[in-house]
Amino acid sequence: MKKLVSVLLLSLYLHPLSATVFRFSGAESSVDVRYKYVQNVLLLALEKTKSDYGDYQLQSATQGINIGRVIRQLEQGIHDNLFVRVSINDEASDNFHVVPFPISRGLTGNRIALVHKQNKNILCNPNHDKLLRTLTSIQGVGWLDIDILNANGVNVFPITDYERMFHMIERQRADLFFRSFEEIKVEHAAHVKTFPSLSIETCTVLHYPLPRFLVTHKSNATNAKRIEIGLVRAYEDGSFIKLWSNHFSEHLHLLKGRKVIQLENPYLKKVNQRFPHYKKYNVTP
């Protein structure tokens, strides 16, 4: 009996009944590490608001599924108190409760292509802007990049499986797989052993406005407000900048010396009207 009581007391200590469980979207594959930054952002925001809102637990959810399915599950309310990082657009700002803080500080719209090693200089051509629109690009289902690239005349095929996109570049079934500059080096390192012909295009960076916000179910306003307050506090005391720098600064060198192809993002009209102050948190590389 004493042993049972001790176990229960330990359980309550580790997982207090008053703790609010927050969830975030997990990895799509065994080598997908993109979720870690979101996890750390949420941890920081929750710590900054612990004295106001109480204890918390943070758990991973939705492992092994693409962002399109995650968004559908979020709409359906399948996972309680789930927060998902999205490239925000007008439709998402209609459908979800938005935490209007750009957790990537506006840099995610700098996109560099993963290519087959034979194509590493494919966009070094002086007419790279026109050439881009004759090549085949791939992106993941549910990614806003598909709509943005299509709106700018770029041929994009939506792919449901994250790992399959690396396979398609390896087999030269597609020319370009654009990734955010802070993702591309990590993803290349994680996949090059399996796909030895995978390379990083050397000459060009696409740029378009692509703020990334955390969103949650429409009914989850109180917990969303906690995250927003925590992020603003962390920004003001410098701890968010430190976290952001630890994640992004080592990748900034990838942008140096590249020709910029500037594209438009036509899906931010309502976002910019509803959340006019988010840009003050952005940074120019």
Side-chain angles (χ1 to χ4, degrees):
M1 184 64 180
K2 289 183 178 180
K3 185 176 180 180
L4 177 59
V5 171
S6 297
V7 170
L8 289 172
L9 288 173
L10 178 61
S11 177
L12 287 172
Y13 175 76
L14 294 175
H15 304 288
L17 293 176
S18 60
T20 303
V21 178
F22 286 76
R23 295 178 172 86
F24 62 93
S25 184
E28 287 190 33
S29 73
S30 60
V31 295
D32 181 12
V33 297
R34 294 172 296 168
Y35 71 93
K36 289 185 177 180
Y37 179 62
V38 176
Q39 180 182 18
N40 289 331
V41 165
L42 285 169
L43 278 172
L44 181 61
L46 291 168
E47 279 296 310
K48 294 296 176 182
T49 52
K50 193 173 180 179
S51 61
D52 308 85
Y53 290 86
D55 207 351
Y56 65 89
Q57 296 177 44
L58 186 59
Q59 299 177 358
S60 174
T62 70
Q63 291 92 340
I65 63 176
N66 64 53
I67 189 64
R69 286 183 60 194
V70 172
I71 292 298
R72 288 195 294 274
Q73 290 187 5
L74 184 61
E75 286 180 312
Q76 296 162 6
I78 292 175
H79 303 279
D80 184 50
N81 202 14
L82 173 64
F83 285 81
V84 179
R85 173 181 60 183
V86 300
S87 298
I88 195 68
N89 62 5
D90 293 337
E91 182 180 3
S93 72
D94 286 335
N95 295 339
F96 301 107
H97 195 97
V98 175
V99 179
F101 187 98
I103 62 173
S104 300
R105 302 190 69 201
L107 287 184
T108 306
N110 293 287
R111 318 295 280 185
I112 297 171
L114 283 170
V115 295
H116 190 278
K117 63 183 180 182
Q118 293 181 358
N119 293 330
K120 64 185 302 183
N121 298 322
I122 195 169
L123 292 176
C124 295
N125 188 296
N127 295 317
H128 56 277
D129 197 343
K130 293 181 179 179
L131 178 61
L132 170 67
R133 291 163 173 82
T134 69
L135 301 172
T136 301
S137 297
I138 51 176
Q139 292 284 283
V141 166
W143 297 2
L144 180 59
D145 305 270
I146 292 175
D147 297 326
I148 294 171
L149 291 170
N150 279 332
N152 285 272
V154 180
N155 299 312
V156 187
F157 289 91
I159 308 298
T160 56
D161 184 270
Y162 174 66
E163 294 299 321
R164 185 178 169 220
M165 289 183 273
F166 300 94
H167 177 80
M168 290 181 70
I169 294 296
E170 173 77 13
R171 293 296 186 92
Q172 294 185 280
R173 293 176 180 172
D175 300 310
L176 305 166
F177 178 23
F178 282 102
R179 311 299 299 125
S180 175
F181 81 96
E182 86 276 9
E183 296 170 330
I184 192 166
K185 192 174 179 181
V186 175
E187 289 183 327
H188 179 264
H191 291 87
V192 72
K193 288 184 179 179
T194 305
F195 306 111
S197 295
L198 200 64
S199 187
I200 298 174
E201 197 276 328
T202 60
C203 290
T204 302
V205 55
L206 301 189
H207 179 264
Y208 42 85
L210 195 71
R212 280 190 164 177
F213 291 171
L214 294 169
V215 299
T216 187
H217 193 271
K218 273 281 194 182
S219 64
N220 202 23
T222 299
N223 289 320
K225 190 63 178 178
R226 173 176 180 172
I227 298 300
E228 181 182 354
I229 290 171
L231 289 176
V232 172
R233 286 179 182 174
Y235 180 85
E236 290 175 347
D237 71 16
S239 55
F240 177 81
I241 301 296
K242 183 177 180 181
L243 173 63
W244 176 89
S245 296
N246 288 341
H247 182 80
F248 284 90
S249 60
E250 66 175 299
H251 306 291
L252 286 171
H253 70 93
L254 290 172
L255 300 177
K256 292 181 179 179
R258 290 179 176 270
K259 297 177 182 179
V260 179
I261 299 179
Q262 187 72 45
L263 303 181
E264 298 296 323
N265 180 352
Y267 304 103
L268 293 174
K269 293 179 181 178
K270 290 181 182 179
V271 171
N272 290 331
Q273 292 171 357
R274 290 170 176 167
F275 313 112
H277 303 300
Y278 79 86
K279 292 181 182 179
K280 71 180 181 180
Y281 302 111
N282 284 347
V283 65
T284 301

